[in-house]
Amino acid sequence: MENVLVGSQTRRRALGQFAAAGGVLLAGPAVASVQDPIPANSPAPPPPPTAPALAVDPDETPTQIAVTRELFEQVTAPVMINGKGPFRFMVDTGANVSCVSEKLAASQALPRGRELMVNTIVGRRARPSVMIDQLDIGTRIRKKVEAPVLPMGGFDIDGVLGIDWLKGQRLVFGFSGNTLEITKSRAENSGRNRVVVPARRKSGQLTIVDADISGRKISAMIDSGSQFSLGNTSLRNLIERLDPSSRQNAVNVRMISIAGESFSGQQLALPFIRLGGLTLGNVPVVFTDMPIFKLWDLHDTPTIMLGIDLLTQFTTVAVDFGRSSVRFDIASA
């Protein structure tokens, strides 16, 4: 079976209520490998599909899409599946692989693909996949897409768009105008009300490299699929060393994954985080040490995943997978 991870799409709620988590990521590099043997009594799997490819030149005119945004919840874009739709897909930069809901797979009678070994944010399980002949996002077209199928029962979405469809391009979230733009990767510099932060590729994701808290280096990832920011235990330990009294302000939060698995964490507000030339203050973070951090080999490194509640504080966030950089635009007021 192919090994796939379901990541961190989340919804923040009050103490004792539920938040939600989902997203899909490859367990390892952008090209998945078969890691688990299939039992001898199982039927032989079909041959692997042809690797998905963009049917258009990435240097073409930029594609701009009007998106729907619910504050602190999710950014969704209209997607056509085999010429039908549009369907609501959540845009998730923390996801390596696009996936579909069980409801969409059934309603469109999508043909069954291989069984995939899926690692959710709290565990691992086998999940079916389906084959999509054509997936359209604005003027971008992908052919022969193999997508894991997930329940998504608690979400008003039909699927998740992972970074597998970007192919080294630039994704621009226009939060002030509710737009999403896919453009050619390009060099950018910081300027008035604009900060460009260098990043590096890790397991297909972009990790901001110039980040710290009170001079202590941390890793920071952009996760548009997470409804709030997540931190690991190493980051929590760093915060408590800097401010031992912070633990007294922790609020218990319960969450549930997109696959229906519940888990818990504690929310704290971080006083300051520096991302390159950008300083953020009073950042709410839910701390939970989930397998996703170990998968990315970040469990021993203080790490924060910047969720949509933080990203929407900017007018624009441009995530450039070709140049490995992130641009934050700040309102002039």
Side-chain angles (χ1 to χ4, degrees), residues 52-94:
L54 286 169
V56 293
D57 188 336
D59 293 339
E60 67 171 356
T61 302
T63 298
Q64 190 173 71
I65 305 163
V67 298
T68 301
R69 178 169 66 84
E70 300 173 21
L71 190 60
F72 300 140
E73 291 195 357
Q74 60 205 24
V75 174
T76 59
V79 171
M80 303 294 290
I81 298 293
N82 297 338
K84 298 179 181 179
F87 300 102
R88 282 167 49 92
F89 273 56
M90 180 185 68
V91 182
D92 189 356
T93 59

Side-chain angles (χ1 to χ4, degrees), residues 91-154:
V91 182
D92 189 356
T93 59
N96 285 28
V97 175
S98 300
C99 65
V100 300
S101 68
E102 289 180 338
K103 182 178 179 181
L104 176 63
S107 68
Q108 300 304 303
L110 298 175
R112 183 75 173 258
R114 298 177 294 171
E115 189 172 67
L116 306 177
M117 185 56 69
V118 173
N119 293 277
T120 70
I121 196 170
V122 296
R124 185 180 182 187
R125 63 175 58 188
R127 293 296 306 174
S129 68
V130 292
M131 297 303 302
I132 300 172
D133 288 336
Q134 181 170 314
L135 186 151
D136 299 51
I137 311 157
T139 60
R140 293 314 205 254
I141 299 173
R142 295 185 65 220
K143 301 279 190 178
K144 304 298 181 185
V145 178
E146 182 184 39
V149 179
L150 301 176
M152 302 188 200

